[in-house]
Amino acid sequence: MDNKALAGILYETADLLEIDGQDSFRIRSYRNAAEAIEAFPQQIADLIAEPKKVLGIPGIGKGMLANLQEMFRDGKLSLHSEMLNKYKPSMLDLLKIQGLGPKTIALIWSAYQVCDVEGVGKLAREGKIRELPRMGEKQEQKLLKAIEDYRRIAGRFLIDAAEIQAQKIVEHLKGYAGVEKVTSAGSLRRGRETVGDLDILVTGKACCDEASRQELIAHIIKLPGLMEIIASGDNKVSFRLRGGMQVDVRLLPPESFGAAMQYFTGSKAHNVALRQRALKMGYTLNEYSLANVDDGKPVANRTEEEIYSLLKLDYIPPELRENGGEIDAAAEHALPALITKEDLQGDVHMHTVETDGRNTILEMAEAAKAKGYKYMAITDHSKNLAFANGLDDKRAVEHIQRIHDADKQIDGITIFAGIEVDILGDGALDLSDSVLEQMDLVIASVHSQFGQAPAEMTERLLKAVSNPNTSFLGHPTGRLLLRREAYQFDIEAVIKAAAKHKVAMELNSYPDRLDLCDRHLRLAKQHGVKIVINTDSHHTSHLEKIRYGILQARRAWLTKDDVLNTLPVKKFAGAMKHHWS
Ligand code: DGT
Ligand code: CA
Ligand code: CA
Ligand code: ZN
């Protein structure tokens, strides 16, 4: 443990003691010690064997010395752990929120027993923070803003933002002599909907000896946009980018590529389970190799495939590595044939200049055709979405005609006439049945009154699902990742009703939606509900976002059969009218 880590634990302990309402003298002693250690020019680790020297540091008395000795002996401080047990580790996240100090956190805890960022955000949105002593509406608004900032800076990142940064790192290292591969691992490779930090593996000759590695690290840290180096070691460097994203880069010799990819792709839970299996079979598994327990001799390291194969497992795609049954399935040769981008025959949720899109029907169609799709649908908004210039009955009918005309003008792709119709507050759809009946497909979506009580929202969605014109529910939970939570409703009830009425559910591929999420997709599949994967494009350039949806579908174990827009055009058209088997 270096001084920074020691000080960190002591600061946290002081904060937790303060939240706990302990006496101010004790709290101050922890904070003073943390400050002294942080500022101390020598590493405490080098002094700890000589207690007299440690006691010579101002602010460190006998009690604190014992704490430091404990931290070096056990790797942790029992008081710190006790406090975390008493509350929850999420308390520490709260402390990172700008302007939210231990006193306020204590206040919130004593009034509501809430101690996580999500929960406090919810209280603030419900107007419950302003009711606390010394708080008001202004403080509540400030808190909400601070939570938003916290999420952006210290929190997680959308998958597309993570991808862009990873790509920049690949570019930066491309062409550097002795670098063969630069690959993303971690949650980004597993396709998780948000990414905490980037894990990048670099392999090649330049990673084989220490001098070359240090030269390579010196080059890596010249990366444009790098803000701060967090740690730099023999074969690893961690840094923070402008905008807050953290990156861990690891340098490994080419022969360890497979083992390293396996290890750093995770997830942690998958790796724990895999290591247990390896041990039972007489192997150890780490980032360098799969090796015999007896003689330590490596038996596989170059590719992930050979590692899984020696463990008597079919290859497990990264998206499934969450310890959700994939290891057993791989042992029994029962992994699903996961859907791929190539399986999709069309994208059937997109907008045009007629409402809030940026391109015309034909421009969207040309772009969809260029992607190799056999069909697509134009699905503009309905009038309830006034700010998007949504269509009323009359304009909707005119738009159907325009779509049909465009369809005649373009060969090689079918353009379906559809609509994304608002589900009104009471569950009715925003356009007349006689108009909806003329559509090839109807997406029913909630765009208003997100705050309804869960029972009311459930009824609203059930009613929309039971409307015979509804083909599928658009972005069914309404969440906006890192910005807005899903509206509250009984999703299982809605999924069951969808199964009954043969109404499908969308997987909206827009990276800040990814709605349904992987977990709900799996639930829908269990109940026999079919999925439609779309982009919700508002511009031709958005069509490529489909790959984020495909990743989530794969994480949900979906196959081609679970997804309606893998069907050929006629069958798909039938499925939009509830004809599927
Ligand atoms: P994230 O960054 O929160 O989106 O999720 P991950 O899965 O990328 O997690 P991260 O960055 O902490 O770790 C990268 C991978 O390293 C993780 O997926 C599994 C692997 N790993 C294997 N063993 C360990 C371990 O003991 N500790 C940690 N932190 N990671 C481990
Ligand atoms: Ca990561
Ligand atoms: Ca990491
Ligand atoms: Zn929508």
Side-chain angles (χ1 to χ4, degrees):
M1 267 199 244
D2 62 6
N3 289 2
K4 203 168 170 236
L6 294 171
I9 293 178
L10 295 174
Y11 276 126
E12 284 177 4
T13 308
D15 288 341
L16 290 165
L17 289 172
E18 191 169 353
I19 290 169
D20 200 44
Q22 302 216 7
D23 84 83
S24 57
F25 181 77
R26 191 169 185 213
I27 298 164
R28 204 168 327 120
S29 75
Y30 278 86
R31 224 161 255 155
N32 287 345
E35 278 166 19
I37 290 170
E38 205 172 28
F40 200 64
Q42 264 177 293
Q43 286 296 322
I44 307 294
D46 300 332
L47 299 182
I48 195 72
E50 299 166 80
K52 276 220 177 86
K53 286 195 177 161
V54 179
L55 286 170
I57 302 171
I60 305 227
K62 285 217 172 95
M64 205 48 69
L65 172 66
N67 284 335
L68 292 171
Q69 287 166 332
E70 186 194 337
M71 283 192 265
F72 281 108
R73 190 183 61 235
D74 303 341
K76 58 180 192 184
L77 183 64
S78 49
L79 177 62
H80 181 261
S81 315
E82 258 167 48
M83 285 290 149
L84 280 188
N85 274 340
K86 181 162 175 186
Y87 301 101
K88 279 183 196 124
S90 60
M91 203 63 118
L92 295 177
D93 299 333
L94 280 183
L95 284 163
K96 291 180 197 145
I97 291 173
Q98 202 51 247
L100 191 60
K103 285 200 182 69
T104 312
I105 294 174
L107 215 58
I108 295 172
W109 173 258
S110 67
Y112 302 114
Q113 286 76 54
V114 166
C115 67
D116 63 300
V117 178
E118 279 295 301
V120 171
K122 190 157 176 275
L123 289 173
R125 282 193 303 277
E126 289 168 352
K128 290 186 178 150
I129 296 292
R130 69 181 77 167
E131 290 166 11
L132 295 171
R134 296 190 307 279
M135 295 297 254
E137 204 175 329
K138 212 171 112 210
Q139 282 83 355
E140 193 172 74
Q141 286 309 315
K142 258 171 92 179
L143 178 58
L144 274 173
K145 171 82 174 49
I147 290 177
E148 212 176 277
D149 291 346
Y150 163 81
R151 289 214 171 108
R152 203 174 57 240
I153 294 157
R156 303 182 66 82
F157 296 84
L158 297 180
I159 190 169
D160 58 339
E163 231 180 46
I164 288 167
Q165 297 304 338
Q167 193 51 39
K168 281 188 186 152
I169 295 167
V170 171
E171 290 296 321
H172 179 67
L173 289 176
K174 211 167 70 182
Y176 183 95
V179 167
E180 282 153 31
K181 287 188 195 145
V182 184
T183 327
S184 296
S187 51
L188 181 59
R189 182 167 181 241
R190 300 199 310 283
R192 261 194 80 177
E193 59 191 27
T194 60
V195 170
D197 68 2
L198 292 180
D199 301 279
I200 308 279
L201 291 191
V202 181
T203 51
K205 282 199 214 66
C207 305
C208 289
D209 66 273
E210 189 171 353
S212 313
R213 283 196 294 266
Q214 287 310 308
E215 264 178 56
L216 177 50
I217 287 178
H219 173 72
I220 291 172
I221 61 179
K222 286 189 209 135
L223 178 78
L226 186 150
M227 284 287 280
E228 137 190 51
I229 295 169
I230 297 164
S232 181
D234 170 32
N235 63 356
K236 172 179 165 163
V237 56
S238 299
F239 49 84
R240 197 179 306 283
L241 300 172
R242 198 183 306 125
M245 197 180 299
Q246 192 182 316
V247 187
D248 292 338
V249 181
R250 293 169 177 98
L251 315 181
L252 286 131
E255 65 271 17
S256 290
F257 180 73
M261 276 299 267
Q262 199 294 310
Y263 184 89
F264 291 115
T265 294
S267 67
K268 218 166 156 179
H270 173 85
N271 286 0
V272 167
L274 202 65
R275 275 201 295 269
Q276 279 166 357
R277 182 179 177 89
L279 274 177
K280 269 192 212 142
M281 294 173 71
Y283 299 119
T284 58
L285 178 61
N286 61 26
E287 63 267 52
Y288 295 101
S289 66
L290 182 72
N292 287 323
V293 168
D294 307 339
D295 55 7
K297 209 176 134 242
V299 291
N301 52 13
R302 284 188 176 273
T303 67
E304 288 188 324
E305 281 81 357
E306 58 181 316
I307 291 169
Y308 283 105
S309 157
L310 273 170
L311 293 173
K312 296 208 173 1
L313 296 171
D314 289 344
Y315 178 74
I316 302 177
E319 297 92 331
L320 296 188
R321 299 185 196 168
E322 298 289 351
N323 198 27
E326 72 279 10
I327 294 180
D328 287 344
E332 292 153 18
H333 308 294
L335 285 174
L338 299 181
I339 186 167
T340 68
K341 213 166 66 195
E342 288 68 36
D343 290 327
L344 287 190
Q345 301 286 319
D347 182 340
V348 295
H349 184 165
M350 57 189 88
H351 301 269
T352 70
V353 286
E354 186 62 22
T355 59
D356 62 350
R358 304 275 301 281
N359 291 98
T360 62
I361 301 170
L362 270 177
E363 284 164 352
M364 294 309 288
E366 290 291 354
K369 185 177 158 182
K371 281 195 67 69
Y373 290 139
K374 297 287 186 288
Y375 52 87
M376 58 173 295
I378 297 295
T379 55
D380 273 305
H381 288 291
S382 66
K383 63 181 186 299
N384 188 49
L385 215 54
F387 64 82
N389 188 26
L391 308 174
D392 57 15
D393 280 351
K394 180 162 170 289
R395 280 176 65 212
V397 172
E398 288 162 7
H399 204 38
I400 292 176
Q401 192 53 51
R402 268 195 297 272
I403 296 168
H404 287 164
D405 291 345
D407 185 39
K408 286 197 196 97
Q409 284 175 50
I410 187 168
D411 287 331
I413 187 162
T414 299
I415 313 176
F416 288 121
I419 187 93
E420 182 182 15
V421 65
D422 267 41
I423 301 172
L424 303 177
D426 62 358
L429 301 185
D430 188 26
L431 294 175
S432 311
D433 289 341
S434 63
V435 172
L436 294 175
E437 278 161 15
Q438 298 172 49
M439 301 282 174
D440 296 318
L441 63 93
V442 173
I443 309 174
S445 302
V446 168
H447 290 124
S448 60
Q449 291 170 267
F450 302 112
Q452 282 181 342
E456 202 180 351
M457 185 61 88
T458 304
E459 279 311 310
R460 180 182 181 183
L461 288 165
L462 288 175
K463 188 163 172 206
V465 164
S466 69
N467 186 309
N469 289 311
T470 302
S471 307
F472 59 89
L473 288 182
H475 43 73
T477 77
R479 72 168 179 178
L480 291 179
L481 281 164
L482 311 179
R483 275 198 286 151
R484 184 178 78 202
E485 282 175 66
Y487 35 77
Q488 307 258 302
F489 68 104
D490 180 348
I491 187 147
E492 197 152 2
V494 173
I495 284 175
K496 282 181 181 157
K500 183 175 138 208
H501 293 286
K502 292 198 172 183
V503 164
M505 286 176 115
E506 181 177 62
L507 162 49
N508 189 300
S509 306
Y510 227 80
D512 57 1
R513 288 197 182 271
L514 299 175
D515 183 6
L516 294 173
C517 69
D518 47 11
R519 201 164 40 84
H520 289 153
L521 288 168
R522 227 175 152 176
L523 190 67
K525 175 176 173 152
Q526 278 163 16
H527 286 279
V529 172
K530 299 288 182 189
I531 303 300
V532 186
I533 308 178
N534 296 315
T535 54
D536 198 352
S537 286
H538 287 69
H539 188 272
T540 51
S541 67
H542 296 165
L543 289 172
E544 54 104 23
K545 296 184 192 297
I546 201 78
R547 62 180 198 283
Y548 304 120
I550 292 286
L551 279 170
Q552 299 315 307
R554 291 169 63 85
R555 289 176 58 78
W557 296 54
L558 299 194
T559 68
K560 193 179 166 182
D561 290 343
D562 301 317
V563 176
L564 291 178
N565 49 331
T566 63
L567 292 170
V569 62
K570 281 232 167 63
K571 281 197 165 155
F572 177 77
M576 292 296 96
K577 301 285 179 187
H578 317 302
H579 305 306
W580 80 62
S581 46

